[in-house]
Amino acid sequence: MKQLYSYLQFLSVFAAFILSSQSAFAQPGNNCSQAISVPVNINTCTLTTVSNVGLSASGISPTNCPGYNGGDLWLAVVMPPSGQLTFRTQLNLTTPTFSMDINMAVYSGVCGSLVQIGCDTDSGPGFYPELAFSGTPGVAYYIQLWDIGNNQADNIDVCAIGAPTCISPTATTTRLCGAANQYSVNVNITNLGSAPSLNILNNAGAPAINNVTSTGIYNVGPFSLGQTVTITIQNPNDASCNVVRVLSDVGLGCNRIVTCGNLLNQTYCYANSDNSVFLYSSSNNSPITLTFASGLIQNGSDIITIRNGTTGTSPILFQGSNAGNLAGLTRTASSGSIFMRVTSNIAGSCADNSLGLGAGWNWNISCVGNTQCQDASLVLSQTSLAQSLVSSDVADFSYSGNLQCAGPDGNADPYFRFVAVGSVTYFSAQGSGDFNAAIEVFNSCGGSQLACSNTAGAGAQETFWIDNLIPGAEYVYRVHHAGANPPSQTSFVTGVYHIPQVRLRTDFCGATGLTANSIIRSTNANPATNLQNYIFEFTETQPPFTVYEVVSPNGTNPQFRMFWFTNFEYGRTYSVRTKVVMYAGPNMGNYGPACNITFAPEPVSGLQSIFNGGNFQLCNTIKATPVNATINYRWLFDSGTEIFEFNSNSSNYFCNLENVQGLTYGTTYDVQVFVTGGGTESGVSTPGTISLLPTAPTTSLNPAFIACGSSVTLTAWTQAFKVCGATSYDFRMTNLTTPGTPIEVARPNRTIAFNSVAGLVAGNTYNVAARATAGGATAPYGAECAISFVAPAPGIAPEVENLETTQVLTEGPNTTIYPNPNAGENLQVLISNLDAQQQQIQIEIYDLTGKLVIQENFGSSNTSFRASMPVRGQLAQGVYIVNTRIDGIVVSTEKLFVK
């Protein structure tokens, strides 16, 4: 970049120097010191017109360059950063002097001390000189031009083409004829140059070919005949190395199908050594006529040949130059195709603007159209078939002469025209009796057939649709009888209809402050025949301008809740369009006009004020400020040294502290809550603070399993009361019968089976205490409970462990089971103090070995729940444990006695 900047700086100073020199002398370009500055364009020839009129001899005679006799013109260029430059000269076409014979020499150095580095006589266009040379970037080089014999003086066109600093790709192009009035271009990449990959672009709407990493042939197109295309082989890293080709099908000889009844006008500027071919065919095989409106040609030397057919061997209709003026020349080809070839010599043509031939040619192509089609009756496309129907009778028409797609040719075929309102358009035709309707649709009179339908039987309704029409464009269709014999019933009805268009209701256009719970509404489809759905399209009006299409879950109701648009973002504006799904087939209408809606700024949540500053234990639940239509609440707990994160992963704004991994007792936390809704997470939170209690809560044995003072066998088990967030429990047993060192056992859960404790003695009484480790702290032992151990009774399971897999809540819902004891009949479960929201309830019954015997699942959304569980035949006499879970969390554990 610095090199290019210095180069441009030098150009500016150099140009100023040249201008000041020119002002001091009468004749610029007369010698080296008066050299005319010629701009250098990278990879491009931009012509500059100079003149050798009135020049004298500079006194510098070129070495080994012929024909120097003075009258030399001096030009100057500055070498570009690449150090490579091509200087080109050519005939000035505005005031051409064909007898001029210009030669050229190139010099390095400074005026007064020049060194000749090159010479050329006729390497450029039209045998004018052209020379490529290299040198030092930013340094001036001098070009000397003279006319051999110094006897011809006139204007000369010159250009200086600088090579880029990168290496341009190399490629050749080949034009190919295609079908349906199209052509394409094969781009043969033979070298990628200095780019790791290339893009092949065009300005005519064909798909780009990107990321070309290997040599080979790449087909670009298709393009319409008559369309000029600029193909750019792009170096993505440096546009100065792009290769550009401007191409058309002119002279290629592709068969141009002419719509009969419409005049096709053509122009052409023929060139030296021309051999171009033109081919035209009528759309209905009728005779086709070529008529020249104007056109000059070099008489006797250049000729055109017109033939009746499609090839260069078809019968000749005309051959010659028509005395040099083609105006008025006309020929008709009875075959329906007319072929023309241009043949010229090496000099004198429209392209070189010599001999007064530069005006170019103009001719028209025509053929007789289908008058029946051109006089087609107008049918209005409506939103229902009934509104569109018109009556007709084939007895009032004759055969158009165009081949028919169904049945034998020759039946009368009335034509109809219509303007497409929707891209999906439906067609119908129906006669009675033996009339077997066929429908053909065309893009124009004599144009391409778009569809043919003849699926219904005689007297039945023929109905079908097309889904790719252009709204606003005019099309034609015809109806004819597809039977072998003329129908006895000749009248029929036909119609064209489309899906009605809808849009956002005007009272919602421009709406602002929308939230997830807001409602917008489309206008109603009219009629609503077979209406199935509304579709809403939301387009961002700010970058990246993403488009979202949402099928409304509301079916035929035009009302739309904004949270159904799951990608919406608060604070953004969207352009909204709507359309409907109805009828049959592709059944999707076109979008109506768009208008804008705007969402409110993003919502903010945080710790609710009633929890802010409170002291809690891990069993407690805290709440955030609820925000509608959110899909996640993200909680951050910051101790000042560590940050712990918890995601609700739902619209639940509760946080049970024991679910936040890493929280420790005796610590204060700053709390933030960020909500996700409308496709994005809020960026701010209201601040809050909580503190955990100084130590973990104490626990003790739950007398619901073994009451204090009981006598049990060593095979018995019991549980401690649940401590939320506990990671382990310790049990201590102090022998009251034979005092000694207490026995301590660590357990991963709150259940202990006494036969797993080494050292317990049957017949002795122990004080049993428990404690828990939770939140990084171990609580002291709780109250002691005296238990006496007796010899084990036969038939009791040796050990029961791990009856629970999740935490037991000590606050909240209250559970009652009855009757208890139970006679093996129905078991009633009553749960009170529930939250009034949708919850999953699970009742589990375990035997004393820990085996799950019965499990039932229920749903509830009320503050209380009652269920009856049949247990007949499933529970033998004995003791069972009943777990009650709400949303996966155990809220109660009770014994059940079956007798």
Side-chain angles (χ1 to χ4, degrees), residues 475-717:
Y475 298 86
V476 295
Y477 74 98
R478 64 173 171 175
V479 177
H480 62 83
H481 172 59
N485 300 311
S488 59
Q489 301 293 327
T490 57
S491 62
F492 65 93
V493 292
T494 183
V496 177
Y497 58 108
H498 59 272
I499 296 173
Q501 195 176 81
V502 294
R503 57 165 297 165
L504 196 66
R505 267 181 24 178
T506 55
D507 49 328
F508 292 97
C509 287
T512 59
L514 298 179
T515 66
N517 280 336
S518 296
I519 295 173
I520 59 176
R521 186 181 179 112
S522 170
T523 57
N524 292 306
N526 184 22
T529 307
N530 297 325
L531 176 63
Q532 300 169 35
N533 245 116
Y534 285 82
I535 297 177
F536 287 73
E537 180 195 74
F538 301 88
T539 303
E540 297 172 338
T541 59
Q542 305 96 1
F545 306 106
T546 307
V547 179
Y548 304 92
E549 189 174 79
V550 183
V551 178
S552 173
N554 221 4
T556 60
N557 190 327
Q559 186 170 279
F560 185 92
R561 286 191 172 273
M562 296 314 307
F563 61 75
W564 293 334
F565 173 28
T566 56
N567 294 102
F568 87 82
E569 295 181 37
Y570 281 105
R572 302 211 79 177
T573 297
Y574 296 86
S575 175
V576 182
R577 300 191 300 174
T578 64
K579 63 182 178 182
V580 290
V581 179
M582 59 189 298
Y583 293 141
N587 65 13
M588 191 174 294
N590 293 88
Y591 279 115
C595 65
N596 291 349
I597 62 171
T598 302
F599 282 85
E602 66 175 355
V604 178
S605 184
L607 187 66
Q608 288 188 19
S609 59
I610 60 173
F611 298 96
N612 188 27
N615 295 307
F616 301 93
Q617 59 172 302
L618 292 179
C619 270
N620 294 129
T621 296
I622 59 177
K623 299 179 182 180
T625 303
V627 175
N628 288 330
T630 53
I631 60 173
N632 188 64
Y633 288 76
R634 185 168 66 94
W635 299 73
L636 294 182
F637 298 83
D638 187 352
S639 68
T641 57
E642 291 183 279
I643 297 177
F644 303 99
E645 181 176 299
F646 171 73
N647 289 277
S648 71
N649 297 318
S650 70
S651 59
N652 188 353
Y653 57 93
F654 292 64
C655 174
N656 191 322
L657 292 176
E658 68 174 328
N659 292 330
V660 184
Q661 300 299 313
L663 296 186
T664 57
Y665 281 104
T667 306
T668 298
Y669 296 91
D670 290 330
V671 181
Q672 291 181 294
V673 185
F674 301 94
V675 293
T676 298
T680 186
E681 184 181 78
S682 61
V684 294
S685 167
T686 56
T689 301
I690 64 167
S691 297
L692 293 188
L693 297 177
T695 185
T698 59
T699 186
S700 59
L701 296 188
N702 186 344
F705 294 91
I706 297 177
C708 294
S710 298
S711 295
V712 298
T713 66
L714 286 174
T715 59
W717 62 273

Side-chain angles (χ1 to χ4, degrees), residues 189-547:
I189 305 293
T190 55
N191 193 301
L192 272 67
S194 58
S197 65
L198 303 172
N199 299 323
I200 305 177
L201 312 177
N202 68 89
N203 69 338
I209 302 174
N210 295 317
N211 197 31
V212 174
T213 58
S214 60
T215 59
I217 296 175
Y218 299 86
N219 184 261
V220 185
F223 310 110
S224 299
L225 294 183
Q227 183 179 27
T228 298
V229 58
T230 299
I231 294 178
T232 301
I233 305 170
Q234 182 191 56
N235 178 331
N237 302 322
D238 191 338
S240 66
C241 273
N242 291 352
V243 174
V244 179
R245 299 284 188 270
V246 180
L247 303 163
S248 74
D249 67 293
V250 173
L252 179 59
C254 301
N255 192 8
R256 182 78 173 266
I257 306 300
V258 179
T259 300
C260 293
N262 297 327
L263 200 66
L264 175 65
N265 183 257
Q266 300 279 271
T267 60
Y268 182 60
C269 181
Y270 85 101
N272 298 331
S273 303
D274 206 332
N275 192 36
S276 296
V277 171
F278 303 85
L279 175 62
Y280 307 93
S281 295
S282 61
S283 58
N284 57 7
N285 295 320
S286 63
I288 188 167
T289 300
L290 184 153
T291 302
F292 274 93
S294 61
L296 300 178
I297 188 171
Q298 189 177 171
N299 188 28
S301 299
D302 304 335
I303 63 173
I304 62 169
T305 303
I306 303 175
R307 296 177 181 268
N308 184 5
T310 59
T311 69
T313 60
S314 299
I316 294 176
L317 297 174
F318 174 84
Q319 188 172 56
S321 52
N322 206 44
N325 189 346
L326 300 176
L329 175 64
T330 181
R331 289 293 185 274
T332 296
S334 59
S335 66
S337 296
I338 194 163
F339 176 99
M340 180 173 71
R341 184 187 298 276
V342 181
T343 307
S344 65
N345 61 15
I346 62 172
S349 66
C350 169
D352 68 12
N353 199 24
S354 61
L355 307 179
L357 302 174
W361 300 348
N362 181 278
W363 68 87
N364 293 315
I365 303 292
S366 62
C367 51
V368 177
N370 180 352
T371 57
Q372 195 156 286
C373 177
Q374 293 167 5
D375 297 335
S377 301
L378 177 64
V379 176
L380 295 178
S381 180
Q382 304 283 2
T383 55
S384 71
L385 174 61
Q387 292 176 305
S388 173
L389 285 176
V390 296
S391 299
S392 188
D393 196 318
V394 294
D396 298 332
F397 298 87
S398 59
Y399 173 47
S400 65
N402 294 322
L403 300 180
Q404 296 170 339
C405 69
D409 290 320
N411 288 324
D413 47 3
Y415 280 75
F416 304 87
R417 60 187 174 91
F418 68 97
V419 175
V421 178
S423 56
V424 177
T425 299
Y426 299 81
F427 301 84
S428 176
Q430 182 178 14
S432 59
D434 58 349
F435 189 95
N436 186 357
I439 307 175
E440 289 182 73
V441 185
F442 304 89
N443 61 6
S444 63
C445 287
S448 300
Q449 183 196 82
L450 303 180
C452 170
S453 182
N454 179 234
T455 58
Q461 183 181 26
E462 189 71 38
T463 301
F464 70 101
W465 56 84
I466 298 176
D467 62 2
N468 58 354
L469 299 186
I470 300 173
E474 185 174 88
Y475 298 86
V476 295
Y477 74 98
R478 64 173 171 175
V479 177
H480 62 83
H481 172 59
N485 300 311
S488 59
Q489 301 293 327
T490 57
S491 62
F492 65 93
V493 292
T494 183
V496 177
Y497 58 108
H498 59 272
I499 296 173
Q501 195 176 81
V502 294
R503 57 165 297 165
L504 196 66
R505 267 181 24 178
T506 55
D507 49 328
F508 292 97
C509 287
T512 59
L514 298 179
T515 66
N517 280 336
S518 296
I519 295 173
I520 59 176
R521 186 181 179 112
S522 170
T523 57
N524 292 306
N526 184 22
T529 307
N530 297 325
L531 176 63
Q532 300 169 35
N533 245 116
Y534 285 82
I535 297 177
F536 287 73
E537 180 195 74
F538 301 88
T539 303
E540 297 172 338
T541 59
Q542 305 96 1
F545 306 106
T546 307
V547 179

